[in-house]
Amino acid sequence: MCPHANGDSTPNDPSQMVPVDLTNGTGTHSSSVAANGANGHSNGVNGHTNGANKSQEQRRNPYAPRASDFLSNISNFKIIESTLREGEQFANAFFDTKTKIAIAKALDAFGVEYIELTSPAASEQSRADCEAICKLGLKTKILTHIRCHMDDARIAVETGVDGVDVVIGTSSFLREFSHGKDMAYITKTAIEVIEYVKSKGIEVRFSSEDSFRSDLVDLLSIYQTVDKIGVNRVGIADTVGCANPRQVYDLVRTLRGVVKCDIEIHLHNDTGMAIANAYTALEAGATHIDTSVLGIGERVGITPLGGLVACLYAADPEYVKSKYNLSMLREIENLVAEAVEVNVPFSNPITGYCAFTHKAGIHAKAILNNPSTYEILKPEDFGLTRYVSIGHRLTGWNAVKSRVEQLGLKLTDDEIKDATAKIKELADVRTQSMDDVDSLLRVYHSGIQSGELAVGQKEALDRLLRKHKERSIANANGRDSSSSRPASPVGA
Amino acid sequence: MCPHANGDSTPNDPSQMVPVDLTNGTGTHSSSVAANGANGHSNGVNGHTNGANKSQEQRRNPYAPRASDFLSNISNFKIIESTLREGEQFANAFFDTKTKIAIAKALDAFGVEYIELTSPAASEQSRADCEAICKLGLKTKILTHIRCHMDDARIAVETGVDGVDVVIGTSSFLREFSHGKDMAYITKTAIEVIEYVKSKGIEVRFSSEDSFRSDLVDLLSIYQTVDKIGVNRVGIADTVGCANPRQVYDLVRTLRGVVKCDIEIHLHNDTGMAIANAYTALEAGATHIDTSVLGIGERVGITPLGGLVACLYAADPEYVKSKYNLSMLREIENLVAEAVEVNVPFSNPITGYCAFTHKAGIHAKAILNNPSTYEILKPEDFGLTRYVSIGHRLTGWNAVKSRVEQLGLKLTDDEIKDATAKIKELADVRTQSMDDVDSLLRVYHSGIQSGELAVGQKEALDRLLRKHKERSIANANGRDSSSSRPASPVGA
């Protein structure tokens, strides 16, 4: 019923697929590409250029923002990586000291600008771990995230962090059902805490919680107040994951007109919009985005690091490549996935296991001509590989032709189309592995060479395939056999 | 190292969590809630109202769009479910006839307005399956998706479908590297195919491919032409997943001013923005959204059905509930996940296994007072349950109090805070299961009752817990034992 139902192929097994290597100049794929007048991705400034018939022209990155916008920070942002704070609020997360340090070091090597840690007020071990990570001497700045309370602030500044992220709920919902404080009290406490942290010579951020359900005037008023007393950043938080992109744009843009300090945004992903909301926040002038690896956090979590990198890379690949060690992304995701015992989602941007697999015939054809046709991310920039899947009923003869050339076989286009029809017929019964496809192409090729086969001779092809199958079985059994057998993978 | 590292708890095991039932009026949780002056979600028109102190007032849904917009179709849209077309292009997908029929029936029962099937021109079996699904007599309309070509159109109309979705690549990329046709040829063929399908009395849609990299004037010109000859819908496709929400809004809004017919949008998810892009397209006036179950499709796929439902439910729960059988969502996702051998992502909106699990102390407290504080989706509307996780170092005494009440124990707030401190201390070493927490609370309670324990007596509590542990081990072994043992789950 399913391609892998017999357990003979794991999801990561590319046995049905053609790996497409565009980086080395050898091999028949490259010649196929050259014949079509394109060289795939080159190393042009904007990430995608195409050669041959336009070799002297640097084509503009077609995914870059089209109009310039003085507010936009799409190419000027910082990541606050919160796997060790928000991520610890994921139901499965329990990070011991060793794991926390491994994650912190990996994120530092990847190049995030900030790492945010659980409040040292949360537990004795949380405090000790915070101190231990501050002593690692990482390039990334270390923050810790506390409630807007002097007790927490005092504990935080003593851990050696580079900055403190202060948060308090400002929505009527949270004021009524959570802490029960009014705006006057919130403002007074915020000023006290911020001035205290500043007096210790480290960064301080003030964030509201549930910002999108807070009264706009209350919100702007407190942000303006803390901006005037010199807070480094104000934070907007979509704590419940209710915001949509245009709301995010409006709120950030409005806030951008009210404060001079940096603007951070923290976005939950309950409706799956956290990546797009982060992108839109940057367009509106936000400067710092909160992420966690794989998005882990409360409920379904927040903006995932990998997803954010994907959309920003699409907009400005050179900027993102210059900031981050992209080929580490998969390793970091695997580290965290293992620590919290989840699988990397099959549909994850960049590292989802089919993110660079092309299947439908028309897609495969164009990808082979020029990867930019159906790809906005260059897999090689992430240390990954592109595949074109051909052993299925949606396959097309251009993808099969590429494989024929890789195998070093000589077939005309008509012959390849004829062989493709047979692959589609067999794949209608069950998905064909790469081995199955290769065998069929070799049998087809030798039939043509020997004169036993011509285009359109379906019965002759079936006979040759049957003979090949019997020979294979005999070889496998170490003896000659002509008895009838159940249908083989390539079988007629 | 990890909470489940010993394999004694599966990810779906809620053993560390408190199930929170807000629908029945019995149990201590409800009394806890009532004491705080809120009744959680009630059945008000806008999905969220709160009772007790505001029982007569229907609070407006705080997630609904704030300003009315004559273009917006957030509460007036149709879903074109393409699991059996786009989903078949997912690398793992091989649907046999039986599976296709099971998926079609499930989607029909869920209530999607359209189901889109693979082109009958793709293979013989694809044609036969298309005919079989048309004969099922489903309420949902059946579409098939073809290349803009008369041969394909003739085969399609003979299958018995309710409509044909026609597509052709219009971007310079696809025109150069895929089909090689110019706009004049595309327009001529489109007119021929559309008039032919219309002459058969069934629906026809014309879509460009890679619309966001197509020349805007070319695009609007061909859409206007096909609109004038009476096409039912025009389609925009972000074939490579490069679009961002504000681009989507701009293109759909511009198109809305150019054509009278319906507007469909098909969005790939390479950068994780497909849900938000779909939402924004509806805001701009799109009428039909393409989805697939779990988003399966080429590469990382398209807008997922569940994610789209999540963000639209958040905006207008009553409308979404009136259209779709939401409690079937998990069943449909499991059906498709099994068919293509993937796991439902842990971070999936609605059905991700922690989507309704609350962990941090301040979250848990507020959730217990009023679920609207940290939830925009009512789990019961999807046949699911809310959990509050308490056996970890981020726990808070309000969540523990709720559990104390559920267990029927009588402790003062100070006693509960004292017991919470012990839970946090133990959870700093390893995550505590619900059983561990319950045992600790019972031991604490009986210590208080017997006078052996008072608030702050840490050593007395450790002694009682040690005694309890030894008794448990003795009971388990069927004999008395006072020998030293490794630290027990509740152990001192």
Side-chain angles (χ1 to χ4, degrees), chain B residues 83-309:
Chain B
T83 301
L84 296 176
R85 195 284 290 176
E86 177 70 45
E88 231 192 337
Q89 290 174 227
F90 175 52
N92 263 20
F94 176 84
F95 299 131
D96 60 16
T97 309
K98 198 178 133 204
T99 306
K100 286 184 186 172
I101 288 175
I103 292 171
K105 284 182 172 173
L107 290 169
D108 183 54
F110 180 79
V112 297
E113 289 85 355
Y114 291 87
I115 292 176
E116 187 182 65
L117 305 178
T118 293
S119 170
S123 77
E124 187 47 35
Q125 193 62 49
S126 300
R127 194 189 54 70
D129 291 342
C130 186
E131 288 177 356
I133 291 171
C134 290
K135 285 181 187 140
L136 292 176
L138 303 179
K139 269 178 298 173
T140 181
K141 288 187 180 176
I142 310 295
L143 306 172
T144 189
H145 179 265
I146 62 165
R147 290 171 297 189
C148 189
H149 198 287
M150 280 302 289
D151 292 349
D152 289 13
R154 285 190 198 95
I155 299 170
V157 298
E158 281 165 18
T159 57
V161 290
D162 301 301
V164 176
D165 286 348
V166 177
V167 69
I168 192 161
T170 43
S171 77
S172 61
F173 275 74
L174 292 180
R175 282 155 56 195
E176 182 173 351
F177 299 109
S178 180
H179 53 69
K181 309 293 195 295
D182 65 15
M183 286 307 295
Y185 178 90
I186 290 171
T187 307
K188 181 178 158 294
T189 317
I191 293 172
E192 188 185 14
V193 169
I194 291 164
E195 293 192 328
Y196 172 74
V197 177
K198 270 174 56 82
S199 78
K200 299 295 175 177
I202 59 177
E203 278 188 27
V204 60
R205 177 214 71 184
F206 173 83
S207 181
S208 62
E209 204 186 352
D210 200 10
S211 316
F212 290 87
R213 289 190 296 172
S214 297
D215 180 272
L216 183 63
V217 178
D218 283 353
L219 211 55
L220 296 178
S221 161
I222 193 163
Y223 285 140
Q224 189 170 52
T225 302
V226 297
D227 184 44
K228 279 186 184 148
I229 65 165
V231 80
N232 296 86
R233 288 188 304 286
V234 290
I236 293 174
D238 180 17
T239 308
V240 294
C242 68
N244 63 59
R246 294 173 70 230
Q247 286 175 337
V248 170
Y249 190 86
D250 287 350
L251 182 56
V252 174
R253 188 166 183 173
T254 301
L255 180 57
R256 185 67 289 171
V258 168
V259 298
K260 291 200 190 96
C261 64
D262 285 338
I263 298 175
E264 173 180 343
I265 193 156
H266 180 86
L267 297 154
H268 277 265
N269 202 25
D270 295 75
T271 65
M273 302 206 272
I275 297 170
N277 284 343
Y279 186 91
T280 311
L282 289 176
E283 287 186 314
T287 55
H288 293 63
I289 305 287
D290 287 9
T291 69
S292 71
V293 177
L294 297 172
I296 62 168
E298 287 279 355
R299 305 184 309 282
V300 297
I302 62 166
T303 309
L305 176 64
L308 183 69
V309 162

